[in-house]
Amino acid sequence: MVRHRAVLLVFRIVLGGLFVYAGAAKALTPLDFAQNVRNYQLVGQSLSFIAALILPWLEILAGAFLVLGIWRRGAALVVSALLVFFIALTVVTMIRGLDVDCGCFGALDRKAGLGVILEDLGMLYLGLCLLLGGGPSPKRDGPSSD
Amino acid sequence: MREEGRVLRQALALAALSVLVAAAVHVPLIRRFVRGDFRQAFIQAAEYPGLRLITIEEGEELWRTGGAAFIDARPAGTFEEKHIPGARNLPASEGEKRIPAAVLALPRGGPLVVYCEGGDCQSSLLLAKRLHAEGFEDVRVMTGGWADWVQAGLPVESDFPGRRDGQA
């Protein structure tokens, strides 16, 4: 697990930036994203709509907090949990044989498949490094013991 | 343990903040949703004048009565694998360039039902607009698409021998 501060800073900026971009692309076209969510055929029309409104802002806020260094580990937990969910969703979608756009980066979409899973796994590694390797904030909790 | 609890509280606070921001930013959309604007699909019917958006049930009714010609907007390979029995394949990308003579020969006044894959109806909407511009007066988009048709257990057929079946 990477613990070097400079490397973790780069991880925060890269991962946070990607999440801000992905969230903004969806928040700008909420109806398109709602249709993307609906296409996965896991939830109905109402839940797809609610998820499509909230999820992009969760990505934007968690990404921005990571970049800015606010609530770093909380933001890393949100990002990592989202990535685990996205990976599971893509695997289930592939097993079900559905041919849907992943809805990951707004207009830069491609089909939900192995490429998306590998990409998410790469981002999940960064997220877990930040969650587990970042340690608690020295200002509040002193040196990390993990 | 205290640190884990703090991280979890931060994550939950982020989630709550996202709900608040989403609710504040999307008030007009939420109002429209409550009014029932997006019950069938997340598209704005006003952007597609002349077209009608129909449900899978309405599409099934038209299919069973033989009251409409069905146009499948998915790519040829996917269509050949399985499609709605009797549907004609006109991939949206091809339809943008030219409409085949076989489709142009269909009655201009009779309903055409256009569908595409997985409820992702951008391609069927684009093709439907193209057909409407070509002079077809009654073009309907089955917004649930192929995925909902299959999920409803409605009949499908394949262009490959031995794959024709009554159910999806």
Side-chain angles (χ1 to χ4, degrees):
Chain A
M1 193 63 67
V2 174
R3 287 172 188 273
H4 195 283
R5 286 173 66 96
V7 178
L8 290 177
L9 174 66
V10 174
F11 281 10
R12 275 202 293 120
I13 292 170
V14 169
L15 187 60
L18 279 171
F19 262 71
V20 169
Y21 173 75
K26 292 168 197 156
L28 288 172
T29 54
L31 291 182
D32 288 348
F33 181 52
Q35 188 62 56
N36 277 131
V37 176
R38 183 73 183 91
N39 292 346
Y40 279 97
Q41 299 173 32
L42 278 182
V43 292
Q45 201 78 357
S46 299
L47 276 179
S48 298
F49 181 75
I50 293 166
L53 295 195
I54 296 170
L55 191 61
W57 287 103
L58 188 56
E59 289 182 338
I60 291 171
L61 290 174
F65 277 36
L66 266 187
V67 172
L68 297 172
I70 306 166
W71 292 355
R72 288 195 307 254
R73 296 185 73 200
L77 175 61
V78 169
V79 165
S80 301
L82 283 175
L83 286 166
V84 169
F85 171 70
F86 295 155
I87 291 166
L89 180 63
T90 310
V91 170
V92 169
T93 302
M94 286 174 71
I95 292 170
R96 294 171 73 199
L98 296 180
D99 183 20
V100 297
D101 284 336
C102 76
C104 315
F105 286 98
L108 297 176
D109 268 348
R110 60 262 191 255
K111 298 294 178 188
L114 197 57
V116 170
I117 292 175
L118 292 175
E119 187 182 281
D120 285 350
L121 280 173
M123 287 194 280
L124 180 59
Y125 174 72
L126 302 191
L128 290 178
C129 284
L130 293 168
L131 179 62
L132 304 173
S137 165
K139 282 179 192 168
R140 286 192 54 171
D141 296 280
S144 170
S145 58
D146 57 12
Chain B
M1 203 62 190
R2 268 178 52 206
E3 172 63 12
E4 280 81 6
R6 194 170 65 87
V7 171
L8 194 60
R9 281 197 301 278
Q10 288 174 352
L12 291 174
L14 265 170
L17 198 57
S18 306
V19 173
L20 291 176
V21 174
V25 170
H26 297 299
V27 168
L29 268 187
I30 294 169
R31 280 201 183 126
R32 289 182 55 197
F33 183 77
V34 171
R35 279 206 311 262
D37 274 12
F38 308 123
R39 279 196 191 126
Q40 286 180 30
F42 295 109
I43 46 179
Q44 319 220 22
E47 289 176 12
Y48 301 93
L51 304 187
R52 277 181 56 193
L53 309 178
I54 62 169
T55 61
I56 288 293
E57 291 75 22
E58 291 170 290
E60 181 192 358
E61 176 70 20
L62 283 165
W63 179 79
R64 291 202 185 281
T65 59
F70 278 65
I71 308 286
D72 187 320
R74 298 176 302 158
T78 319
F79 172 85
E80 287 161 6
E81 192 72 26
K82 274 181 183 175
H83 50 261
I84 294 176
R88 290 161 214 262
N89 186 214
L90 176 49
S93 53
E94 189 188 318
E96 281 172 29
K97 295 175 212 148
R98 60 173 194 87
I99 305 292
V103 174
L104 289 174
L106 292 168
R108 297 300 167 106
L112 289 183
V113 175
V114 188
Y115 68 93
C116 60
E117 59 198 11
D120 174 14
C121 283
Q122 293 305 310
S123 57
S124 55
L125 276 165
L126 293 174
L127 181 59
K129 280 174 82 172
R130 178 83 174 82
L131 289 165
H132 190 259
E134 202 64 45
F136 289 96
E137 294 159 12
D138 186 355
V139 186
R140 306 179 191 188
V141 177
M142 196 163 67
T143 52
W146 170 249
D148 278 7
W149 183 274
V150 171
Q151 199 173 33
L154 295 170
V156 301
E157 72 176 359
S158 171
D159 283 357
F160 297 118
R163 288 205 194 168
R164 187 186 173 99
D165 47 12
Q167 293 292 307

